[in-house]
Amino acid sequence: MPDFKRYLPILTWGRDYNKTALSNDLMAAVIVTIMLIPQSLAYALLAGMPPEAGLYASIVPIMLYAVFGTSRALAVGPVAVISLMTAAALSNIVEQGTMGYAVAALSLAALSGIILLAMGLLKLGFVANFLSHPVIAGFITASGIIIAASQLKHILGIDAHGHNLLDLVVSLVKHLPEINWITTVIGVAATAFLFWVRKGLKPMLEGFKLNATLVGVAVKAGPVAVVVVTTLAVWLFGLSNQGVKIVGEVPQSLPPFTLPSFSPALIGQLLVPAILISLIGFVESISVAQTLAAKKRQRIDPDQELIGLGAANIGASLTGGFPVTGGFSRSVVNFDAGAETPAAGAFTAIGLAIAALALTPLIFFLPKATLAATIIVAVLSLVDFSILKRAWGYSKADFAAVSATILLTLAFGVEAGVSAGVGLSILLHLYKTSKPHIAEVGQVPGTEHYRNILRHDVITNPSVVSLRVDESLYFANARYLEDKIHERVAGDTEIRHVILQCTAINEIDLSALESLEMINERLKEMDVKLHLSEVKGPVMDRLKQEHFLHEMTGSVFLSQFEAAQALKP
């Protein structure tokens, strides 16, 4: 049974499910469903899929996540960045609107699901740590700008294409003479209204002393209101005959059973995009899940989250969807609405299924400009240039990485941007750890503590150099340590002992061990002994497996104080 609970979290929270949780989950589901109907349609449009695919991708995936996921509040489904990445990946392979495009989307979701599932079973949740948060913030900011720019063609009623900002702007300017003013009025009015709903509706309703729950529902229903009003306007005035592009006929059905294609040629083309989508989707999802879980002192298992997201994507591939992940806005709404368990997601799925069955005929005259307005308002909240100012003030290396990610994403598109983000995150880590902080330390008078001689008034011994290495030693920084020790010792003929204080060293890889052997030999030639102090148990266990300790000219001491006392002249 413990293994089943490990892979099926529903067995844990489901056992204690009660009427209070049911009531809270149902209320959250109602609010989230209201928000997700227009949002799901809009993100399908962004991904280059038919509108109903957004509903399909929001039904079965949510239910599967409720079974396998560990977050009590995460809402899984189409999200802006992943939808944009889907469109960018597929448009290079097949033409939008064709059967091949839909099959490729199913295959991309299936491939992403398999990758996520495999990572979860292999316990590779730590992989998300290789993507630095500043770099991800930069990527999402640039993606938000590209997404907003890509929707301007629907707002203006013109044709425009491009997967980076420059191409989009050039295409928009080129087609500006074709602008449809009726579409523009609808799009601009819808966008302005949705921004007002976000910023001004809540204070206004609170001024009327309305119930807080009612105010929350009204604010979340803003996109639904604009959908209803613009759809009625198009229908009543026959605006579709005047060039206003509409959603058109949407199948009135539950998600169909579909099968992805596993053609070797197609898989070869989709593999890299699937890996990037999986990584970005997982990072976005786990960040949201952990943030919300911390507010209720709950625990998130990253490896099980991979399994949950993998199952959700495989479910999307079998039910007419496209790649999905945990969304920030919908998850926050779910949390704020009082969701107690993942059952809230299952109830949301039921609500969306009812909408797919009963409400789709009502959106025939829904203008695409309204869906574009929904996307623009949603993604502009993701744009955050303050990360540049913060990074500049804190770390120039982080600033360079964030700036490069933003510029590369804007200039070359999301795939190039996320690839650059992954690469820059790894390079940033290697850069920071390749030159570890190495402090020469001395004894704080009257204590057994040793601190940096440049920061504290300490006691030192001219014949002994004590160096504290504030980083694990591995291939990228081993040579740097060699150079630092040689630089310090070579010009000082009084030195007879070098002590490496290993307080912060958690790992010494084989390259670093060979460097220590080289350091030992060089110091021996200069008639200087090498000693180690405060070596951690796991590190010592590894060193004992090699011959280094037997060949080391000095000794290993339990503490830096003990080493200094033993080497006093």
Side-chain angles (χ1 to χ4, degrees):
M1 184 60 72
D3 286 337
F4 278 112
K5 287 185 178 180
R6 158 74 174 81
Y7 292 109
L8 293 171
I10 190 173
L11 296 178
T12 300
W13 61 261
R15 182 184 56 194
D16 302 321
Y17 203 67
N18 54 41
K19 288 183 179 180
T20 302
L22 174 63
S23 174
N24 291 336
D25 286 344
L26 283 172
M27 176 57 70
V30 169
I31 294 173
V32 175
T33 301
I34 290 171
M35 183 190 81
L36 284 192
I37 292 172
Q39 195 179 80
S40 298
L41 298 171
Y43 289 154
L45 182 74
L46 178 59
M49 298 289 287
E52 65 270 16
L55 292 174
Y56 297 160
S58 300
I59 296 175
V60 172
I62 297 179
M63 292 185 141
L64 287 170
Y65 180 82
V67 175
F68 295 102
T70 58
S71 172
R72 303 284 180 107
L74 191 70
V76 172
V79 300
V81 174
I82 300 302
S83 296
L84 177 65
M85 292 180 71
T86 298
L90 299 185
S91 60
N92 294 327
I93 301 171
V94 285
E95 186 179 346
Q96 282 190 14
T98 64
M99 183 62 72
Y101 190 94
V103 172
L106 297 176
S107 302
L108 186 60
L111 200 53
S112 178
I114 291 169
I115 291 169
L116 289 164
L117 194 60
M119 288 175 65
L121 293 173
L122 294 172
K123 301 185 183 301
L124 298 179
F126 67 89
V127 169
N129 299 332
F130 286 104
L131 290 169
S132 73
H133 283 282
V135 167
I136 289 298
F139 168 72
I140 290 176
T141 290
S143 297
I145 294 171
I146 292 176
I147 292 169
S150 73
Q151 296 309 297
L152 289 177
K153 63 181 180 182
H154 297 298
I155 297 290
L156 301 174
I158 61 178
D159 190 25
H161 300 284
H163 294 298
N164 61 63
L165 188 61
L166 180 60
D167 288 348
L168 281 168
V169 170
V170 170
S171 186
L172 285 167
V173 171
K174 181 180 177 182
H175 290 90
L176 266 182
E178 304 163 14
I179 191 169
N180 183 294
W181 289 106
I182 298 175
T183 300
T184 303
V185 169
I186 293 172
V188 171
T191 304
F193 176 76
L194 289 173
F195 271 119
W196 176 76
V197 165
R198 286 202 165 200
K199 301 292 184 182
L201 181 59
K202 186 176 180 179
M204 186 186 79
L205 294 178
E206 287 175 343
F208 292 117
K209 309 297 182 184
L210 295 178
N211 178 274
T213 303
L214 185 62
V215 170
V217 172
V219 171
K220 304 303 182 298
V224 176
V226 80
V227 164
V228 172
V229 171
T230 55
T231 301
L232 285 173
V234 171
W235 174 59
L236 287 172
F237 299 107
L239 299 182
S240 60
N241 297 322
Q242 300 180 49
V244 175
K245 294 180 181 179
I246 58 174
V247 168
E249 186 175 355
V250 177
Q252 194 173 355
S253 68
L254 291 173
F257 176 71
T258 53
L259 283 174
S261 168
F262 289 103
S263 157
L266 182 61
I267 295 303
Q269 291 175 300
L270 293 178
L271 184 58
V272 172
I275 292 171
L276 297 177
I277 284 173
S278 299
L279 282 175
I280 293 297
F282 176 57
V283 169
E284 180 175 352
S285 180
I286 198 70
S287 299
V288 176
Q290 289 178 335
T291 299
L292 297 179
K295 294 182 179 182
K296 289 192 175 182
R297 299 192 177 185
Q298 294 167 349
R299 179 179 173 274
I300 298 298
D301 181 350
D303 296 321
Q304 186 60 32
E305 284 297 290
L306 283 166
I307 293 173
L309 291 174
N313 275 280
I314 291 173
S317 74
L318 298 175
T319 54
F322 53 95
V324 298
T325 193
F328 177 77
S329 59
R330 67 181 67 193
S331 297
V332 170
V333 169
N334 197 37
F335 180 86
D336 290 343
E340 291 279 344
T341 72
F347 297 143
T348 299
I350 293 170
L352 291 171
I354 293 171
L357 276 174
L359 302 181
T360 49
L362 302 178
I363 60 173
F364 182 92
F365 289 102
L366 172 60
K368 289 186 176 181
T370 300
L371 295 181
T374 302
I375 294 173
I376 289 172
V377 173
V379 299
L380 286 182
S381 65
L382 302 175
V383 176
D384 179 18
F385 284 111
S386 67
I387 188 66
L388 289 170
K389 181 180 179 181
R390 187 178 178 192
W392 175 263
Y394 189 77
S395 166
K396 300 301 186 287
D398 279 322
F399 174 80
V402 173
S403 301
T405 302
I406 291 175
L407 292 174
L408 287 170
T409 303
L410 293 176
F412 299 104
V414 289
E415 283 192 18
V418 71
S419 299
V422 172
L424 288 169
S425 294
I426 295 172
L427 287 174
L428 192 58
H429 170 73
L430 292 175
Y431 171 76
K432 288 179 176 178
T433 56
S434 66
K435 295 182 177 181
H437 180 253
I438 299 175
E440 184 171 346
V441 298
Q443 184 183 3
V444 178
T447 74
E448 295 183 6
H449 299 295
Y450 283 75
R451 294 292 185 268
N452 192 329
I453 64 171
L454 300 178
R455 295 176 179 271
H456 300 270
D457 186 11
V458 293
I459 301 169
T460 59
N461 182 343
S463 65
V464 178
V465 171
S466 297
L467 298 174
R468 188 189 70 228
V469 185
D470 295 335
E471 186 68 64
S472 290
L473 298 177
Y474 72 119
F475 67 90
N477 62 22
R479 183 61 185 270
Y480 181 76
L481 177 63
E482 284 186 51
D483 293 342
K484 278 293 183 182
I485 291 177
H486 181 76
E487 180 185 314
R488 176 64 182 87
V489 175
D492 194 335
T493 56
E494 287 190 67
I495 297 173
R496 290 291 172 264
H497 303 278
V498 170
I499 307 172
L500 285 185
Q501 185 180 348
C502 304
T503 315
I505 297 177
N506 298 314
E507 176 72 26
I508 297 177
D509 74 0
L510 188 57
S511 296
L513 178 61
E514 291 175 352
S515 285
L516 288 177
E517 292 171 348
M518 181 64 71
I519 291 168
N520 185 56
E521 287 300 317
R522 285 184 178 177
L523 291 178
K524 185 178 179 180
E525 292 171 0
M526 292 186 280
D527 196 23
V528 176
K529 290 184 177 181
L530 175 66
H531 308 269
L532 304 179
S533 73
E534 301 188 15
V535 182
K536 293 184 176 180
V539 177
M540 181 61 77
D541 292 340
R542 296 285 292 276
L543 292 178
K544 285 179 179 178
Q545 295 174 7
E546 299 291 328
H547 52 78
F548 170 68
L549 293 179
H550 299 290
E551 297 178 358
M552 193 172 70
T553 53
S555 305
V556 179
F557 296 94
L558 185 63
S559 71
Q560 180 63 27
F561 179 75
E562 179 185 311
Q565 292 299 110
L567 300 177
K568 274 186 176 180

